[in-house]
Amino acid sequence: MKIGFGYDSHRFCENRPLVLAGVKIPFEKGLAGHSDADVLVHAICDALLGAMSEEDIGCHFPDTDPAYKDISSMILLEEVCSLVRKKGYTIGNIDSTMILESPRIRPYVQAMKNNLARFLHLDVKNINIKAKTNEGMGFIGENEGMAAFTVVILQKD
Ligand code: MG
């Protein structure tokens, strides 16, 4: 078994949709980034890559490459997932925590889990997503941006 950990953060900005695990969340701001800035999926990709000792998302999908401009991060996740399979691993379970002050995410968590399960070919019961605030502290508390953490277990086939 291999364990992986991933972290990511992005700044909120105007005129972009807020996309988390491929689900569009109604909010007046989105996240700034080269791709669609899906902070949760980036943390999941980094956890999966970390478990395989495959460096990080920036090495595999550089933000200097125009091919990844505004790309859906779910496409990047699919590529990481095919690397998982190619290397002879299956995903055991995924546990993620998002930290953001607003909007409230809970109503969208099930849709996010379903989306991840579909893209990862994983039973939804093996995916957990938590969302919490930062109690008003720091850059997250001031709603400058949000962050996500993920741990994942891979099992050798
Ligand atoms: Mg990112």
Side-chain angles (χ1 to χ4, degrees):
M1 277 200 296
K2 296 279 190 184
I3 191 165
F5 170 75
Y7 165 80
D8 197 26
S9 63
H10 280 265
R11 184 182 290 275
F12 282 123
C13 68
E14 309 283 340
N15 301 316
R16 282 201 109 191
L18 177 59
V19 182
L20 297 170
V23 176
K24 271 191 188 160
I25 315 282
F27 190 49
E28 70 265 24
K29 288 180 178 175
L31 292 168
H34 185 67
S35 65
D36 67 356
D38 189 329
V39 63
L40 175 59
V41 169
H42 293 181
I44 293 170
C45 286
D46 263 358
L48 292 167
L49 292 169
M52 297 186 286
S53 300
E54 277 284 341
E55 299 185 298
D56 62 30
I57 192 170
C59 294
H60 288 262
F61 314 107
D63 64 6
T64 48
D65 188 337
Y68 303 120
K69 178 97 182 90
D70 295 325
I71 195 171
S72 166
S73 296
M74 298 307 276
I75 293 169
L76 309 183
L77 183 65
E78 270 190 318
E79 285 196 31
V80 171
C81 193
S82 65
L83 184 61
V84 169
R85 283 194 298 271
K86 205 171 92 186
K87 291 199 138 207
Y89 289 106
T90 51
I91 300 170
N93 72 300
I94 290 177
D95 185 21
S96 292
T97 298
M98 291 181 290
I99 311 180
L100 72 169
E101 218 63 28
S102 62
R104 295 286 159 178
I105 292 298
R106 193 178 299 273
Y108 309 101
V109 163
Q110 193 58 50
M112 292 161 65
K113 291 201 304 198
N114 293 344
N115 223 17
L116 289 170
R118 191 158 53 85
F119 275 81
L120 292 167
H121 313 287
L122 189 62
D123 193 317
V124 75
K125 75 174 189 294
N126 294 319
I127 300 172
N128 193 54
I129 298 173
K130 306 180 289 299
K132 59 201 299 171
T133 73
N134 213 35
E135 299 283 340
M137 295 180 289
F139 77 90
I140 293 171
E142 281 158 24
N143 238 0
E144 271 181 65
M146 64 172 289
F149 300 85
T150 294
V151 286
V152 62
I153 289 278
L154 296 185
Q155 291 157 335
K156 202 78 178 178
D157 293 337

